[in-house]
């Protein structure tokens, strides 16, 4: 009853921009540069909307990680980042290569795993200056009920003085 979901808002905006050239021109004048985070999670309709808004200049600033595409079931694809130059021909690139968050063994494991992706941007990930490098900062466990293993581990950390927000 007069309600639309997010997808319907996208489709409706596309319809208006395609049907009403004056509205499209006004929108393009207001949208000189579009900043799009999580670019790898765009769906085809989102890309069409961006291109309609960006106009011939294609002022699109895309931020994302092709190794983190999680909405493939809905049409998202690492293609948007891997082939960014095809969609935004004047694009310049600035790779963020330092991982400040994860312990060294986690970065090494993730790098090994992700290097097996066949369709990706070739990249190098480096450790931040303060990343934990101890070998025990990552452990792999097998458990019949993984959620139980995690719950037990979290309870152990809290019992040993860790703050839940950590």
């Amino acid at each position: 009853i007069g309600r639309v979901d997010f997808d319907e808002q996208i489709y409706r905006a596309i319809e208006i921009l395609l049907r009403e050239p004056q509205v499209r021109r006004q929108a393009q004048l207001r949208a000189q540069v579009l900043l799009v985070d999580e670019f790898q999670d765009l769906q085809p309709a989102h890309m069409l909307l961006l291109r309609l808004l960006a106009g011939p200049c294609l002022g699109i600033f895309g931020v994302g990680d092709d190794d983190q595409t999680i909405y493939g079931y809905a049409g998202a694809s690492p293609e948007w980042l891997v082939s960014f130059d095809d969609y935004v021909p004047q694009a310049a690139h600035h790779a963020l290569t330092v991982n400040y968050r994860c312990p060294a063994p986690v970065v090494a494991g993730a790098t090994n795993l992700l290097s097996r992706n066949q369709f990706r941007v070739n990249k190098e990930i480096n450790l931040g200056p303060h990343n934990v490098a101890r070998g025990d900062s990552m452990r792999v466990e097998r458990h019949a009920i993984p959620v139980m293993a995690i719950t037990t581990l979290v309870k152990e950390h809290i019992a040993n003085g860790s703050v839940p927000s950590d």
Side-chain angles (χ1 to χ4, degrees):
I1 305 174
R3 295 183 182 151
V4 295
D5 64 10
F6 180 73
D7 290 335
E8 185 58 33
Q9 291 176 36
I10 299 295
Y11 300 140
R12 182 70 178 127
I14 290 169
E15 288 174 358
I16 291 169
L17 292 171
L18 287 172
R19 269 195 219 142
E20 301 181 32
Q22 183 59 30
V23 171
R24 184 172 60 249
R25 278 191 289 282
Q26 287 174 347
Q28 289 171 347
L29 288 173
R30 295 187 62 161
Q32 297 291 312
V33 177
L34 302 171
L35 169 61
V36 184
D37 194 14
E38 303 297 347
F39 205 83
Q40 74 281 354
D41 287 330
L42 293 179
Q43 298 169 20
H46 301 146
M47 194 62 180
L48 175 57
L49 179 61
L50 285 175
R51 292 187 62 134
L52 286 168
L53 286 172
C57 294
L58 291 175
I60 299 172
F61 185 99
V63 179
D65 184 345
D66 56 304
D67 287 321
Q68 294 185 23
T69 302
I70 60 174
Y71 296 109
Y73 66 89
S77 169
E79 166 72 20
W80 306 126
L81 283 173
V82 173
S83 302
F84 191 75
D85 290 339
D86 293 339
Y87 299 106
V88 185
Q90 303 297 322
H93 298 267
H94 180 75
L96 302 177
T97 63
V98 180
N99 180 312
Y100 294 96
R101 293 190 228 174
C102 301
V106 172
V107 173
T111 299
N112 181 32
L113 176 67
L114 294 173
S115 71
R116 285 139 176 45
N117 285 351
Q118 299 204 2
F119 188 69
R120 69 191 295 258
V121 173
N122 189 22
K123 63 180 83 79
E124 179 181 322
I125 304 298
N126 303 298
L127 293 173
H130 303 293
N131 291 60
V132 175
R134 295 186 332 263
D136 68 345
S137 59
M138 178 179 91
R139 70 183 197 216
V140 177
E141 294 190 22
R142 298 186 194 285
H143 198 280
I145 307 172
V147 172
M148 294 302 292
I150 300 252
T151 302
T152 300
L153 183 61
V154 169
K155 286 179 181 178
E156 286 173 13
H157 280 289
I158 291 172
N160 291 326
S162 292
V163 179
S165 62
D166 290 345

